[in-house]
């Protein structure tokens, strides 16, 4: 699972059938302090995360296939949950 | 899934039977600065300069043209759309029409 911040979304009309009707968001991975870390990735969002909300992104492709109800879906990332209080994560020393 | 620009194609003389029906595209992954892409139909050249870094070959069944931005998945999930085992580790999942990218301003 990757902590990330929603930085936008994409619109794609021509796509694999399993993506039809789903929302694909741009997720910027962040570290424990909320700083950007690396290149944004795309994830399937069924929870309706808002712009700049902190979320957890899962890279478990098998669950994404269940989420879109297509065992042949090439999708991998999906938004697992929306962080309630951004910045509340603490690194244990 | 990552974003990338189609910069070319690969033609195979002999190939695994599972590749039949699709195309192989050479794709340059987008870096963060290039997410601010203007809307465009397929052009012969990318709208913004390409990022530095390695490109990859992506299997495409959607018909993406040169200069298009596509979303592609990698790894084991890229072989999921095929019947049985397939030697594919990058698959074009969508052709992107519009990228709405609004990062936070850097502090």
């Amino acid at each position: 699972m990757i902590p990330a911040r929603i930085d936008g979304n994409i619109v794609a009309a021509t796509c694999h059938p399993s993506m039809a009707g789903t929302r694909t968001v741009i997720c910027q991975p962040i570290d424990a302090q909320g700083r950007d870390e690396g290149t944004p990735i795309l994830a399937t969002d069924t929870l309706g995360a808002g712009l700049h909300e902190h979320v957890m992104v899962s890279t478990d492709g098998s669950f994404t296939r269940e989420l879109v109800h297509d065992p042949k879906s090439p999708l991998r990332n999906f938004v697992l949950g929306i962080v309630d209080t951004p910045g509340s994560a603490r690194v244990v020393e | 899934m990552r974003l990338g620009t189609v910069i070319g194609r690969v033609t195979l003389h002999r190939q695994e039977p599972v590749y039949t029906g699709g195309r192989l595209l050479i794709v340059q992954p987008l870096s963060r600065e290039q997410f601010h892409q203007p809307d465009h139909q397929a052009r012969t050249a990318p709208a913004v300069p390409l990022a530095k870094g390695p490109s990859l070959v992506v299997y495409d069944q959607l018909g993406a043209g040169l200069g298009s931005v596509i979303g592609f998945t990698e790894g084991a999930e890229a072989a999921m759309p095929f019947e049985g085992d397939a030697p594919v580790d990058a698959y074009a999942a969508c052709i992107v029409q519009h990228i709405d990218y609004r990062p936070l301003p850097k502090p």
Side-chain angles (χ1 to χ4, degrees), chain B residues 94-107:
Chain B
C94 62
I95 302 176
V96 175
Q97 288 179 293
H98 175 64
I99 303 173
D100 189 4
Y101 182 56
R102 307 184 204 196
L104 289 178
K106 295 210 185 313

PDB file of all heavy atoms in Angstrom, chain B residues 94-107:
ATOM      1  N   CYS B  94      -5.643   2.360 -21.693  1.00  0.00           N
ATOM      2  CA  CYS B  94      -6.546   3.417 -22.135  1.00  0.00           C
ATOM      3  C   CYS B  94      -5.776   4.438 -22.968  1.00  0.00           C
ATOM      4  O   CYS B  94      -4.564   4.579 -22.840  1.00  0.00           O
ATOM      5  CB  CYS B  94      -7.219   4.105 -20.954  1.00  0.00           C
ATOM      6  SG  CYS B  94      -6.095   4.937 -19.831  1.00  0.00           S
ATOM      7  N   ILE B  95      -6.518   5.143 -23.834  1.00  0.00           N
ATOM      8  CA  ILE B  95      -5.963   6.281 -24.569  1.00  0.00           C
ATOM      9  C   ILE B  95      -6.519   7.525 -23.895  1.00  0.00           C
ATOM     10  O   ILE B  95      -7.740   7.722 -23.828  1.00  0.00           O
ATOM     11  CB  ILE B  95      -6.363   6.248 -26.056  1.00  0.00           C
ATOM     12  CG1 ILE B  95      -5.900   4.942 -26.696  1.00  0.00           C
ATOM     13  CG2 ILE B  95      -5.767   7.431 -26.798  1.00  0.00           C
ATOM     14  CD1 ILE B  95      -6.338   4.768 -28.135  1.00  0.00           C
ATOM     15  N   VAL B  96      -5.616   8.355 -23.378  1.00  0.00           N
ATOM     16  CA  VAL B  96      -6.024   9.476 -22.546  1.00  0.00           C
ATOM     17  C   VAL B  96      -6.419  10.654 -23.418  1.00  0.00           C
ATOM     18  O   VAL B  96      -5.687  11.062 -24.317  1.00  0.00           O
ATOM     19  CB  VAL B  96      -4.871   9.868 -21.598  1.00  0.00           C
ATOM     20  CG1 VAL B  96      -5.233  11.108 -20.821  1.00  0.00           C
ATOM     21  CG2 VAL B  96      -4.572   8.716 -20.658  1.00  0.00           C
ATOM     22  N   GLN B  97      -7.603  11.206 -23.152  1.00  0.00           N
ATOM     23  CA  GLN B  97      -8.048  12.395 -23.886  1.00  0.00           C
ATOM     24  C   GLN B  97      -7.693  13.667 -23.133  1.00  0.00           C
ATOM     25  O   GLN B  97      -7.365  14.677 -23.725  1.00  0.00           O
ATOM     26  CB  GLN B  97      -9.562  12.371 -24.066  1.00  0.00           C
ATOM     27  CG  GLN B  97     -10.054  11.354 -25.055  1.00  0.00           C
ATOM     28  CD  GLN B  97     -11.555  11.394 -25.140  1.00  0.00           C
ATOM     29  OE1 GLN B  97     -12.231  11.058 -24.185  1.00  0.00           O
ATOM     30  NE2 GLN B  97     -12.074  11.797 -26.273  1.00  0.00           N
ATOM     31  N   HIS B  98      -7.831  13.623 -21.816  1.00  0.00           N
ATOM     32  CA  HIS B  98      -7.661  14.848 -21.052  1.00  0.00           C
ATOM     33  C   HIS B  98      -7.017  14.510 -19.717  1.00  0.00           C
ATOM     34  O   HIS B  98      -7.444  13.572 -19.051  1.00  0.00           O
ATOM     35  CB  HIS B  98      -9.026  15.503 -20.826  1.00  0.00           C
ATOM     36  CG  HIS B  98      -8.972  16.715 -19.957  1.00  0.00           C
ATOM     37  ND1 HIS B  98      -8.305  17.860 -20.316  1.00  0.00           N
ATOM     38  CD2 HIS B  98      -9.486  16.959 -18.727  1.00  0.00           C
ATOM     39  CE1 HIS B  98      -8.427  18.756 -19.349  1.00  0.00           C
ATOM     40  NE2 HIS B  98      -9.138  18.240 -18.377  1.00  0.00           N
ATOM     41  N   ILE B  99      -5.979  15.264 -19.369  1.00  0.00           N
ATOM     42  CA  ILE B  99      -5.328  15.090 -18.069  1.00  0.00           C
ATOM     43  C   ILE B  99      -5.642  16.325 -17.240  1.00  0.00           C
ATOM     44  O   ILE B  99      -5.258  17.440 -17.593  1.00  0.00           O
ATOM     45  CB  ILE B  99      -3.802  14.938 -18.221  1.00  0.00           C
ATOM     46  CG1 ILE B  99      -3.471  13.760 -19.135  1.00  0.00           C
ATOM     47  CG2 ILE B  99      -3.145  14.743 -16.868  1.00  0.00           C
ATOM     48  CD1 ILE B  99      -1.999  13.655 -19.475  1.00  0.00           C
ATOM     49  N   ASP B 100      -6.347  16.140 -16.148  1.00  0.00           N
ATOM     50  CA  ASP B 100      -6.655  17.241 -15.244  1.00  0.00           C
ATOM     51  C   ASP B 100      -5.713  17.115 -14.053  1.00  0.00           C
ATOM     52  O   ASP B 100      -5.991  16.398 -13.103  1.00  0.00           O
ATOM     53  CB  ASP B 100      -8.125  17.141 -14.811  1.00  0.00           C
ATOM     54  CG  ASP B 100      -8.575  18.370 -14.034  1.00  0.00           C
ATOM     55  OD1 ASP B 100      -7.782  19.314 -13.889  1.00  0.00           O
ATOM     56  OD2 ASP B 100      -9.724  18.365 -13.562  1.00  0.00           O
ATOM     57  N   TYR B 101      -4.590  17.802 -14.121  1.00  0.00           N
ATOM     58  CA  TYR B 101      -3.533  17.650 -13.123  1.00  0.00           C
ATOM     59  C   TYR B 101      -3.363  18.955 -12.376  1.00  0.00           C
ATOM     60  O   TYR B 101      -3.020  19.972 -12.962  1.00  0.00           O
ATOM     61  CB  TYR B 101      -2.221  17.240 -13.807  1.00  0.00           C
ATOM     62  CG  TYR B 101      -1.050  17.012 -12.884  1.00  0.00           C
ATOM     63  CD1 TYR B 101      -1.142  16.098 -11.842  1.00  0.00           C
ATOM     64  CD2 TYR B 101       0.144  17.685 -13.054  1.00  0.00           C
ATOM     65  CE1 TYR B 101      -0.078  15.874 -10.998  1.00  0.00           C
ATOM     66  CE2 TYR B 101       1.224  17.456 -12.225  1.00  0.00           C
ATOM     67  CZ  TYR B 101       1.101  16.555 -11.194  1.00  0.00           C
ATOM     68  OH  TYR B 101       2.161  16.320 -10.367  1.00  0.00           O
ATOM     69  N   ARG B 102      -3.621  18.943 -11.080  1.00  0.00           N
ATOM     70  CA  ARG B 102      -3.519  20.165 -10.269  1.00  0.00           C
ATOM     71  C   ARG B 102      -2.694  19.854  -9.030  1.00  0.00           C
ATOM     72  O   ARG B 102      -3.244  19.635  -7.951  1.00  0.00           O
ATOM     73  CB  ARG B 102      -4.907  20.628  -9.845  1.00  0.00           C
ATOM     74  CG  ARG B 102      -5.859  20.775 -11.000  1.00  0.00           C
ATOM     75  CD  ARG B 102      -7.178  21.316 -10.568  1.00  0.00           C
ATOM     76  NE  ARG B 102      -8.223  20.929 -11.502  1.00  0.00           N
ATOM     77  CZ  ARG B 102      -9.420  21.500 -11.564  1.00  0.00           C
ATOM     78  NH1 ARG B 102      -9.712  22.497 -10.736  1.00  0.00           N
ATOM     79  NH2 ARG B 102     -10.308  21.090 -12.426  1.00  0.00           N
ATOM     80  N   PRO B 103      -1.374  19.837  -9.177  1.00  0.00           N
ATOM     81  CA  PRO B 103      -0.552  19.563  -7.995  1.00  0.00           C
ATOM     82  C   PRO B 103      -0.561  20.734  -7.043  1.00  0.00           C
ATOM     83  O   PRO B 103      -0.869  21.865  -7.427  1.00  0.00           O
ATOM     84  CB  PRO B 103       0.840  19.353  -8.610  1.00  0.00           C
ATOM     85  CG  PRO B 103       0.822  20.170  -9.845  1.00  0.00           C
ATOM     86  CD  PRO B 103      -0.591  20.146 -10.365  1.00  0.00           C
ATOM     87  N   LEU B 104      -0.214  20.449  -5.794  1.00  0.00           N
ATOM     88  CA  LEU B 104      -0.078  21.533  -4.834  1.00  0.00           C
ATOM     89  C   LEU B 104       1.161  22.354  -5.180  1.00  0.00           C
ATOM     90  O   LEU B 104       2.173  21.800  -5.588  1.00  0.00           O
ATOM     91  CB  LEU B 104       0.052  20.967  -3.419  1.00  0.00           C
ATOM     92  CG  LEU B 104      -1.219  20.347  -2.824  1.00  0.00           C
ATOM     93  CD1 LEU B 104      -0.907  19.800  -1.442  1.00  0.00           C
ATOM     94  CD2 LEU B 104      -2.321  21.389  -2.748  1.00  0.00           C
ATOM     95  N   PRO B 105       1.113  23.675  -5.019  1.00  0.00           N
ATOM     96  CA  PRO B 105       2.318  24.472  -5.265  1.00  0.00           C
ATOM     97  C   PRO B 105       3.395  24.098  -4.254  1.00  0.00           C
ATOM     98  O   PRO B 105       3.097  23.812  -3.088  1.00  0.00           O
ATOM     99  CB  PRO B 105       1.843  25.917  -5.072  1.00  0.00           C
ATOM    100  CG  PRO B 105       0.564  25.819  -4.330  1.00  0.00           C
ATOM    101  CD  PRO B 105      -0.035  24.502  -4.633  1.00  0.00           C
ATOM    102  N   LYS B 106       4.642  24.070  -4.722  1.00  0.00           N
ATOM    103  CA  LYS B 106       5.717  23.667  -3.850  1.00  0.00           C
ATOM    104  C   LYS B 106       5.927  24.754  -2.790  1.00  0.00           C
ATOM    105  O   LYS B 106       5.952  25.928  -3.103  1.00  0.00           O
ATOM    106  CB  LYS B 106       7.009  23.464  -4.658  1.00  0.00           C
ATOM    107  CG  LYS B 106       6.911  22.318  -5.633  1.00  0.00           C
ATOM    108  CD  LYS B 106       8.249  21.668  -5.871  1.00  0.00           C
ATOM    109  CE  LYS B 106       8.198  20.594  -6.920  1.00  0.00           C
ATOM    110  NZ  LYS B 106       7.098  19.663  -6.777  1.00  0.00           N
ATOM    111  N   PRO B 107       6.132  24.352  -1.510  1.00  0.00           N
ATOM    112  CA  PRO B 107       6.310  25.360  -0.448  1.00  0.00           C
ATOM    113  C   PRO B 107       7.628  26.082  -0.574  1.00  0.00           C
ATOM    114  O   PRO B 107       8.578  25.536  -1.074  1.00  0.00           O
ATOM    115  CB  PRO B 107       6.244  24.514   0.829  1.00  0.00           C
ATOM    116  CG  PRO B 107       6.608  23.140   0.408  1.00  0.00           C
ATOM    117  CD  PRO B 107       6.161  22.972  -1.016  1.00  0.00           C
TER     118      PRO B 107
END
